[in-house]
Amino acid sequence: MENRLRELEKLALLDIKAVSTQQEFEMARAKYLGRKGAFSVLYKELAACSPQERPALGQKLNKLKSVLEEEFKNKANVLSRGSCQARQDTFDATMPGICPLVGKTHLITKTIDDICGIFSCMGFGIVEGPEIENEFNNFEALNIPLDHPSREAFDTFYLDTENFGSNPQARRLLRSHTSPMQIRYMLEHKPPFSIAVPGKVFRPDATDASHSFMFHQVEGLMVADNINFANLKWILFEFARKCFGSAVQVRFRPHFFPFTEPSAEVDVSCIICQGRGCRVCSQSGWLEILGSGMVDPNVFKAVGIDSDKFSGFAFGMGVERIAMLKHGIDDIRLFYENDLRFLGQF
Ligand SMILES: [Zn+2]
């Protein structure tokens, strides 16, 4: 056995010397020190030797094993230094760096922040409400009774289609506008107050370039004693100037909403053609941006506010529409497709 040990030492040292890659290193290590390697065979043979021979042979075997382990360790150091050197050799300081992808605020979030920022500067508190509402807050309290023809204008996702208990007003739905938050706020607060409410709304519309089953609105409400239409006009003028630029013109058109009386739709002079007429404004020179009006006394009645003592105005706008007008975007679906080539532009 002693001869075989000397032979093994010679061969192993030659093998280790010849190793030049990580793969060769692993193979050589397995050949000698692995579970099925030369040493494992020798230890088995040692067990079969006579008790007199065993201690001396065992010592020699252990010594050779530690010599080879040391050799492998040295070789591993040499190989790892070599690969560092190789990396340094291929590093080119003149190559352009890899630019990490940095996230940014989505255009819809940014537009909501801009709109709320403008109202916040004018003293409005920013509040948010739940996306799951009940019929009372979404319709009844806003002067839209079940049998009212205007209810048909509000197609709605209902969550409870039947068995909604003894109180039909508790029937749950996905809110079809942010206006129910007016009701929630007025039920819990006493005037005076002014709030802006950003949030998601849902309507079962077929998706196309200008419709989506989910979009965003910002709602506004101001209630105090002696609030009048002139206050509404000033606030919305101020908003339009801050949102679209100081040169923008604003006009009010009479309209109908169940929850306001009188009601008006608000247009701004087309920001693409400055009012001369173009494709975006259908040659009219005007773009509709929001609906507004004085809070209907029936709404005050539903929340227990005395309409002889207090008056107020409300308005609501579509966030996607504002963003599309401001940035010349012609398809609402672009906001939700998450194409970074589109989102990265804003
Ligand atoms: Zn135009």
Side-chain angles (χ1 to χ4, degrees):
M1 192 172 203
E2 276 188 51
N3 287 340
R4 282 178 55 209
L5 285 182
R6 273 195 294 279
E7 200 61 22
L8 182 73
E9 182 174 8
K10 238 189 267 172
L11 268 176
L13 290 175
L14 279 174
D15 274 354
I16 295 171
K17 203 176 169 193
V19 161
S20 63
T21 66
Q22 193 62 32
Q23 200 186 1
E24 285 170 5
F25 177 85
E26 300 298 342
M27 277 167 63
R29 219 182 123 80
K31 183 175 168 189
Y32 295 102
L33 302 176
R35 263 196 314 135
K36 290 177 182 168
F39 275 91
S40 145
V41 176
L42 286 169
Y43 277 117
K44 269 181 206 148
E45 285 179 17
L46 181 66
C49 288
S50 68
Q52 293 80 12
E53 288 176 307
R54 223 179 287 158
L57 277 174
Q59 241 174 24
K60 280 184 180 143
L61 195 51
N62 285 341
K63 196 177 160 206
L64 177 58
K65 195 181 174 201
S66 58
V67 166
L68 292 190
E69 275 170 345
E70 191 59 32
E71 286 296 318
F72 273 113
K73 208 169 133 191
N74 291 341
K75 192 72 190 185
N77 285 338
V78 170
L79 283 177
S80 98
R81 267 203 305 278
S83 67
C84 279
Q85 188 64 42
R87 271 201 297 278
Q88 267 172 11
D89 289 347
T90 56
F91 180 75
D92 180 354
T94 63
M95 287 282 281
I98 298 165
C99 185
L101 214 54
V102 179
K104 59 204 288 195
T105 311
H106 192 283
L107 180 56
I108 291 299
T109 311
K110 191 175 173 315
T111 309
I112 291 174
D113 289 348
D114 290 348
I115 294 170
C116 289
I118 294 171
F119 287 111
S120 190
C121 285
M122 292 194 276
F124 283 71
I126 309 299
V127 296
E128 290 184 68
E131 287 160 16
I132 294 177
E133 267 296 356
N134 57 48
E135 275 211 308
F136 177 77
N137 290 341
N138 198 75
F139 291 124
E140 263 87 355
L142 288 161
N143 198 30
I144 319 172
L146 195 56
D147 53 356
H148 197 281
S150 66
R151 179 80 74 105
E152 284 172 20
F154 292 91
D155 273 345
T156 308
F157 286 113
Y158 279 93
L159 299 174
D160 302 321
T161 50
E162 50 193 317
N163 298 331
F164 39 85
S166 55
N167 180 10
Q169 293 185 344
R171 196 175 169 194
R172 293 176 308 157
L173 45 82
L174 292 180
R175 66 178 175 190
S176 53
H177 47 176
T178 40
S179 308
M181 195 51 203
Q182 290 187 24
I183 303 302
R184 283 178 181 270
Y185 198 85
M186 287 195 283
L187 282 171
E188 287 180 7
H189 297 82
K190 288 205 177 328
F193 49 73
S194 52
I195 54 165
V197 188
K200 288 189 179 78
V201 301
F202 307 85
R203 294 183 194 175
D205 282 332
T207 305
D208 61 25
S210 52
H211 293 87
S212 168
F213 53 84
M214 185 281 292
F215 56 99
H216 299 77
Q217 285 187 333
V218 175
E219 183 89 7
L221 174 71
M222 181 182 276
V223 181
D225 53 355
N226 206 21
I227 293 286
N228 56 40
F229 205 92
N231 301 134
L232 167 65
K233 245 182 122 175
W234 186 87
I235 291 281
L236 293 183
F237 258 111
E238 211 40 38
F239 165 72
R241 276 197 284 266
K242 290 211 168 96
C243 187
F244 295 103
S246 54
V248 82
Q249 294 189 340
V250 179
R251 75 173 183 187
F252 283 67
R253 276 181 294 107
H255 197 74
F256 171 78
F257 297 112
F259 28 84
T260 47
E261 181 59 35
S263 306
E265 279 195 326
V266 178
D267 300 340
V268 292
S269 51
C270 179
I271 48 175
I272 312 286
C273 64
Q274 277 76 41
R276 286 188 295 274
C278 71
R279 193 179 57 87
V280 176
C281 59
S282 311
Q283 310 302 328
S284 70
W286 295 94
L287 299 166
E288 182 210 320
I289 55 160
L290 56 86
S292 66
M294 302 305 293
V295 178
D296 194 291
N298 283 339
V299 176
F300 280 142
K301 199 171 148 194
V303 294
I305 290 179
D306 183 353
S307 59
D308 288 333
K309 267 167 84 180
F310 296 103
S311 55
F313 62 73
F315 55 85
M317 67 193 81
V319 174
E320 279 78 352
R321 181 164 173 79
I322 302 274
M324 288 166 86
L325 293 176
K326 273 184 86 164
H327 300 282
I329 297 160
D330 60 4
D331 194 326
I332 196 171
R333 290 168 291 196
L334 288 166
F335 292 121
Y336 312 117
E337 284 168 354
N338 288 332
D339 185 335
L340 292 180
R341 290 169 302 175
F342 169 74
L343 295 176
Q345 295 174 52
F346 308 101

